[in-house]
Amino acid sequence: MAIEHNGIAGPYFEYDGLPALHPVDKDLPLIHPYAPVTPGRYVTPGGGRLTIRPPEKPAHIRITLDHLGCPAQLTDEKNAAFKRLALAAEGHCVHAGCRHHAAYADGVLRIFEVRTGSIALAEFVRAALAVELGDFTPTDRLLQETEALAGPVRQASEGDRANGG
């Protein structure tokens, strides 16, 4: 069923009870939190669009999560949880000697870089999907594991950079 969406070119389509999707996204598969995680583009249980790209740089996998048109995913609490998830990934990079900050930006498009061989891709994606659904436990556990390995990660107020470097 097509519906109009103010502010962004439509029409948008309802998708299995999730927030409305753009027509180019309506044929994307729905990613299940416990299904195998492979590179590709998916619709998430929280209505986001998740893209897992094969590594351009052999040491990192880039994951983007787009919540365009879904204000329920843009709360301060969820933004803070997604930031903790990015910092957990960054801690592994710092521990391995990478010189970039967490590739992360608040808002409708979140970009993460996960070091290959650090946090398992499925574990990272499941934590992101859990945040969408309001469960911050997997994210907090990943951050605690990172801090046990690499020491305290920087706090959100310590000079965030939107696009890693």
Side-chain angles (χ1 to χ4, degrees), residues 51-53 60-64 103 111-114 163:
T51 304
I52 303 168
R53 298 174 197 245
H60 298 89
I61 296 171
R62 182 166 282 224
I63 300 164
T64 59
I111 302 168
F112 304 95
E113 284 189 358
V114 179
N163 289 321

Side-chain angles (χ1 to χ4, degrees), residues 120-142:
L121 178 61
E123 187 176 6
F124 187 89
V125 169
R126 287 176 185 142
L129 299 178
V131 170
E132 278 193 335
L133 301 174
D135 180 4
F136 308 131
T137 306
T139 292
D140 293 337
R141 189 185 74 252
L142 284 176

Side-chain angles (χ1 to χ4, degrees), residues 82-157:
F82 281 121
K83 180 64 178 180
R84 291 192 306 275
L85 186 59
L87 289 172
E90 179 186 4
H92 283 275
C93 288
V94 169
H95 182 69
C98 293
R99 297 184 177 269
H100 67 86
H101 288 286
Y104 175 81
D106 275 340
V108 296
L109 179 63
R110 295 177 172 91
I111 302 168
F112 304 95
E113 284 189 358
V114 179
R115 184 165 180 79
T116 305
S118 63
I119 300 172
L121 178 61
E123 187 176 6
F124 187 89
V125 169
R126 287 176 185 142
L129 299 178
V131 170
E132 278 193 335
L133 301 174
D135 180 4
F136 308 131
T137 306
T139 292
D140 293 337
R141 189 185 74 252
L142 284 176
L143 186 57
Q144 289 171 353
E145 290 171 1
T146 298
E147 288 182 331
L149 172 72
V153 298
R154 66 186 176 89
Q155 298 301 308
S157 61

